[in-house]
Amino acid sequence: MDALECILSRRSVRKYTPDPVSEEDLARILEAVRFAPSWANTQCVAWIRVQDPERRQALQQTLPDGNPARRAVVEAPVLLALCARKGLAGYYKDQPATVHGDWHMFDAGIAVQTLSLAAWALGYGTVNVGLLDHRAAAEILRLPGEMDLLELVPLGRPASVPRPPERKALDAIVWREVHGDKP
Ligand SMILES: Cc1cc2nc3c(=O)[nH]c(=O)nc-3n(C[C@H](O)[C@H](O)[C@H](O)COP(=O)(O)O)c2cc1C
């Protein structure tokens, strides 16, 4: 599959087969993530692989009942927690370099999309799980204070792939020269 096909065909997967993810494939996926770009190459993003079923269940409790990814957090063969160190991305000499402050979420977003695309290219699905009680999840994962827990990311072979949700038309998201001018 080429890069464009991978980007266009990837979907959020919330149902997984019990097939294990081989250590070799997981290593390839994580190796791809290592090459994701980051602010001044500060590489603030880190991952925790959560295997213990009890810890997985505890993490599942941090999602609200209505979150459609609840089952995936315990059922996917692999669960990764996406974390980032604060105060690195977007900082120069310990001061924020821009009005946007900490760019760690931005770097984490690039990293997780890199992970999702690398996984998809190898036949695996993922879903970003951002709606949860982040403080409770960080405690379960014993994160130090200088790090934020941002997302949980289940990963495995898709049992089903959802239809593509509708996207905005290009002329609603791309302008020419200045805001609002049609291309
Ligand atoms: C930052 C972020 C957080 C998300 N959090 C959740 C979540 O908590 N639960 C869930 O089921 N999907 C979650 N999603 C998945 C989105 O619902 C999904 O990406 C969107 O509907 C588009 O579908 P697609 O990924 O299949 O293209 C999240 C996506 C992003 C980018």
Side-chain angles (χ1 to χ4, degrees):
M1 158 175 356
D2 70 20
L4 270 183
E5 189 190 342
C6 186
I7 291 165
L8 294 176
S9 64
R10 181 214 56 84
R11 295 274 70 79
S12 290
V13 171
R14 299 179 181 85
K15 289 188 184 141
Y16 296 88
T17 70
D19 300 329
V21 178
S22 73
E23 289 301 316
E24 191 192 345
D25 283 348
L26 187 58
R28 286 179 79 194
I29 292 164
L30 293 172
E31 180 65 7
V33 166
R34 220 159 62 81
F35 283 85
S38 64
W39 180 285
N41 202 26
T42 41
Q43 303 172 64
C44 68
V45 174
W47 302 83
I48 301 176
R49 182 179 176 183
V50 186
Q51 283 177 298
D52 177 47
E54 280 181 23
R55 189 166 288 114
R56 290 253 211 137
Q57 273 169 18
L59 286 172
Q60 187 191 39
Q61 298 307 316
T62 70
L63 273 63
D65 282 343
N67 193 323
R70 261 182 83 88
R71 286 182 60 179
V73 168
V74 290
E75 286 178 3
V78 168
L79 182 71
L80 298 168
L82 169 60
C83 315
R85 190 168 292 276
K86 294 181 270 189
L88 281 179
Y91 283 76
Y92 181 68
K93 292 188 177 169
D94 290 333
Q95 294 302 315
T98 74
V99 293
H100 294 306
D102 204 324
W103 283 62
H104 67 328
M105 287 184 80
F106 197 94
D107 281 4
I110 295 173
V112 71
Q113 183 67 354
T114 303
L115 175 112
S116 295
L117 291 174
W120 194 254
L122 295 181
Y124 295 101
T126 58
V127 59
N128 292 277
V129 183
L131 181 61
L132 51 95
D133 179 340
H134 290 84
R135 283 205 187 105
E139 223 165 274
I140 292 164
L141 296 170
R142 299 192 202 140
L143 270 198
E146 67 273 15
M147 295 194 79
D148 274 339
L149 181 273
L150 300 174
E151 278 194 345
L152 299 175
V153 187
L155 187 157
R157 296 276 182 214
S160 68
V161 177
R163 287 184 182 193
E166 211 167 296
R167 296 302 209 249
K168 291 180 181 175
L170 260 192
D171 64 4
I173 58 169
V174 182
W175 298 295
R176 183 183 288 269
E177 299 291 352
V178 293
H179 179 269
D181 268 9
K182 296 278 182 212

